[in-house]
Amino acid sequence: MPVKNRFAELQSEITEWRRDIHENPEILFETHRTSALVAEKLKEFGCDEIVTGIGRTGVVGVIKGKSNTSGKVIGLRADMDALPIHEATGLDYASKTDGAMHACGHDGHTAMLLGAAKYLSETRNFDGSVVVIFQPAEEGGGGGKEMCDDGMMDRWNIQEVYGMHNWPGKPVGAFGIRAGAFFAATDQFDITLEGFGGHAAMPQKTVDTTVMAAQAVMALQTIASRNADPVDQIVVSVTSFETSSKAFNVIPQSVQLKGTVRTMSAEMRDLAEKRINEICSGVAATFGGSADVTYIRGYPAMVNHEEQTEFAADVARKVSGGCEHAELVMGGEDFAFMLEERPGAYILVGNGDTAAVHHPEYNFNDEAIPAGCSWWAEIVEQRMPAA
């Protein structure tokens, strides 16, 4: 079953919605304009129920099928927030908000789900109910968790949930997916190493935190190379090294290290936290200093459920003629929280030969709209066929 003709007809209209959202990006939970636009469109489409303010600024719409003998309820989720990046595309519809842009394609995700919602509201050719979920704050704010914490899954009795992300480098409209762990858990650490500062010409009278911190940075790399099983995925990256003094002739009293840890399993996550504490405390003690480690757990690993993944892949094959086995992604995705509450799957749709996500020259490819909308619509019509 190829791309639905209705979405080819709607493509220019959906593109207009997408470019309007692109021109007016909003960060984290500040998606007030975008949320209002989504709610307005859902009302215009004739959704049976529209609720705002779920997860602060999230929007939920309910579309009932022609019948409901199955009692099934499927959730479809799109993210709405932008990134704190200054846009460099030069497009006619480039961001009008300085320092904010849709550099990850959430404008496209929102527009495609709106397109699917319009089609499903028109046809209602399914047996059950669809809950369309428009989520704020995917980019580090945990909006997915907040919507779940607000009781979204139980309130609408959502039984399965599906999500999608565009993917630069993959042919436009092509799909990719994998079962099991797909996107990584995203943790961060903040380490303060304390020594005894002094004159750089008299290092013997100091406890040198720069040497201590340099040793710690190198030692932290042994978590991946010497502590983790080589077949497990783990990344430990120190991304910031800041001394308490910037003078050329002062050995600083303290050094602060910051960084991120990416893992695909609970075991690796626990190992990383344990070893970061042990390594930093041990290195600091060796040099006569001390270490204070703060380890903050962010998004969990996003894990696709086996049955729903195979179903999602089968739908993708019907829409585009194929569905590749996707590679692991060490980036994070807070759809993970929804997949912890309900079975479901997350798929990638090709964005073509474009700049990478989170790049100031990235732009969502509007040619992907028909395929993305068709996949969401087919998820509903195939999973809950009309009675």
Side-chain angles (χ1 to χ4, degrees):
M1 187 174 298
V3 166
K4 289 182 178 293
N5 291 335
R6 182 61 175 137
F7 293 121
E9 296 168 1
L10 288 172
Q11 184 172 357
S12 61
E13 184 178 3
I14 297 170
T15 297
E16 286 180 17
W17 304 338
R18 201 281 294 182
R19 295 184 178 186
D20 177 67
I21 296 168
H22 185 94
E23 197 172 6
N24 298 277
E26 296 171 304
I27 294 171
L28 293 173
F29 291 98
E30 301 302 313
T31 58
H32 303 291
R33 183 186 185 277
T34 308
S35 298
L37 182 150
V38 166
E40 177 187 340
K41 291 296 180 187
L42 295 179
K43 182 179 180 181
E44 180 185 307
F45 302 159
C47 284
D48 297 286
E49 184 181 358
I50 302 161
V51 179
T52 59
I54 305 295
R56 299 199 225 178
T57 47
V59 182
V60 169
V62 179
I63 306 166
K64 296 178 181 178
K66 289 179 179 177
S67 57
N68 189 26
T69 62
S70 70
K72 289 183 179 178
V73 183
I74 287 179
L76 307 176
R77 173 270 201 175
D79 36 20
M80 301 186 290
D81 59 317
L83 282 157
I85 296 174
H86 184 76
E87 183 162 351
T89 62
L91 295 165
D92 292 341
Y93 54 87
S95 170
K96 294 191 295 187
T97 304
D98 192 43
M101 76 168 286
H102 273 289
C104 204
H106 296 185
D107 51 342
H109 305 162
T110 297
M112 288 191 294
L113 187 53
L114 282 174
K118 179 167 184 171
Y119 167 84
L120 292 167
S121 297
E122 289 173 349
T123 59
R124 300 182 184 261
N125 190 34
F126 56 92
D127 181 48
S129 296
V130 180
V131 178
V132 286
I133 302 163
F134 295 87
Q135 179 209 305
E138 191 282 323
E139 296 289 358
K145 183 178 189 302
E146 295 229 7
M147 293 189 85
C148 289
D149 288 348
D150 271 358
M152 176 181 69
M153 295 298 185
D154 290 336
R155 179 170 175 177
W156 285 284
N157 191 31
I158 297 170
Q159 296 157 17
E160 295 181 349
V161 63
Y162 296 87
M164 181 194 304
H165 203 293
N166 77 94
W167 210 247
K170 183 177 286 294
V172 177
F175 291 93
I177 198 170
R178 68 181 295 131
F182 193 176
F183 280 57
T186 59
D187 299 339
Q188 63 189 64
F189 55 82
D190 193 326
I191 302 161
T192 300
L193 297 167
E194 289 284 345
F196 188 77
H199 201 294
M202 294 177 279
Q204 76 280 8
K205 295 183 179 182
T206 72
V207 175
D208 193 336
T209 51
T210 55
V211 174
M212 189 191 308
Q215 291 287 334
V217 171
M218 297 306 296
L220 288 172
Q221 301 311 305
T222 65
I223 298 173
S225 67
R226 289 296 176 267
N227 299 141
D229 189 318
V231 301
D232 287 323
Q233 290 77 29
I234 182 169
V235 175
V236 180
S237 292
V238 178
T239 56
S240 176
F241 189 120
E242 186 173 351
T243 59
S244 59
S245 170
K246 301 298 186 286
F248 73 91
N249 59 350
V250 174
I251 290 173
Q253 179 78 13
S254 64
V255 172
Q256 185 178 40
L257 304 177
K258 294 183 179 181
T260 187
V261 176
R262 305 299 171 103
T263 54
M264 286 290 183
S265 69
E267 293 76 20
M268 281 296 100
R269 203 177 196 186
D270 291 342
L271 173 68
E273 181 174 3
K274 176 175 178 287
R275 290 299 293 141
I276 286 173
N277 276 280
E278 291 173 346
I279 287 170
C280 290
S281 295
V283 168
T286 298
F287 286 91
S290 63
D292 180 67
V293 179
T294 300
Y295 191 95
I296 302 168
R297 296 204 173 202
Y299 298 169
M302 190 190 73
V303 181
N304 272 346
H305 296 251
E306 195 83 35
E307 179 192 345
Q308 286 72 23
T309 299
E310 182 49 47
F311 168 66
D314 185 54
V315 170
R317 286 188 283 268
K318 290 175 180 175
V319 170
S320 69
C323 185
E324 293 182 351
H325 180 71
E327 298 296 321
L328 291 168
V329 179
M330 297 310 285
E333 170 53 66
D334 85 339
F335 189 62
F337 293 110
M338 297 190 189
L339 289 177
E340 284 188 335
E341 294 222 355
R342 294 294 188 272
Y346 190 79
I347 202 166
L348 307 179
V349 61
N351 202 57
D353 186 19
T354 66
V357 294
H358 292 219
H359 190 279
E361 294 182 0
Y362 165 86
N363 186 36
F364 178 82
N365 192 334
D366 294 316
E367 295 305 310
I369 286 172
C373 291
S374 294
W375 182 80
W376 260 320
E378 286 296 330
I379 286 287
V380 172
E381 292 181 348
Q382 297 292 318
R383 201 61 162 173
M384 302 186 295

